[in-house]
Amino acid sequence: MNKFDIIIRPIITEQSMIDMEEDKYTFEVAKKSNKQEIKRAVEEIFSVKVAKVNTMNMTGKVKRQGMNVGKRPDWKKAIVTLAPGSEPIEFFDNMQ
């Protein structure tokens, strides 16, 4: 699996912004990826040293519109903790 297929997108929420101050970054990752693959992909893409990876499977929400009921897809979330002394990951490089 390609490293860009493993890391789908960063998750930007209030809680993830608070965690960034503690060098923890949240990503949506491929459902079949494991912690070692996620660690290797983040280290290669962002040129940082990863200390720890926590993963969780998120179930999709049930949504309805009128009497029609549907479900959003399930997905996997990873919280990556950087090693002490690593440079922070910059998501907003060009925004001012």
Side-chain angles (χ1 to χ4, degrees):
M1 198 182 284
N2 184 2
K3 60 187 172 188
F4 295 106
D5 293 335
I6 294 173
I7 305 295
I8 297 172
R9 67 183 178 97
I11 297 175
I12 308 297
T13 61
E14 279 187 50
Q15 183 62 49
S16 69
M17 297 303 270
I18 293 169
D19 287 343
M20 281 184 196
E21 296 172 4
E22 300 172 6
D23 288 335
K24 293 181 180 180
Y25 296 88
T26 308
F27 297 97
E28 181 181 346
V29 296
K31 194 111 168 84
K32 295 188 182 225
S33 61
N34 58 35
K35 291 183 180 185
Q36 291 82 17
E37 292 173 338
I38 295 167
K39 178 180 177 179
R40 197 173 320 115
V42 170
E43 287 179 344
E44 289 177 14
I45 293 171
F46 298 107
S47 301
V48 295
K49 183 71 176 153
V50 174
K52 162 170 101 163
V53 176
N54 295 337
T55 60
M56 54 209 80
N57 290 312
M58 309 298 289
T59 55
K61 293 181 178 180
V62 175
K63 293 290 183 175
R64 52 179 289 157
Q65 185 171 7
M67 60 184 248
N68 298 324
V69 178
K71 182 178 173 293
R72 290 187 181 169
D74 298 338
W75 55 287
K76 190 172 192 176
K77 176 165 73 170
I79 299 175
V80 177
T81 304
L82 299 184
S86 285
E87 291 291 320
I89 298 174
E90 292 296 327
F91 293 123
F92 309 112
D93 285 341
N94 298 328
M95 296 181 74
Q96 303 206 10

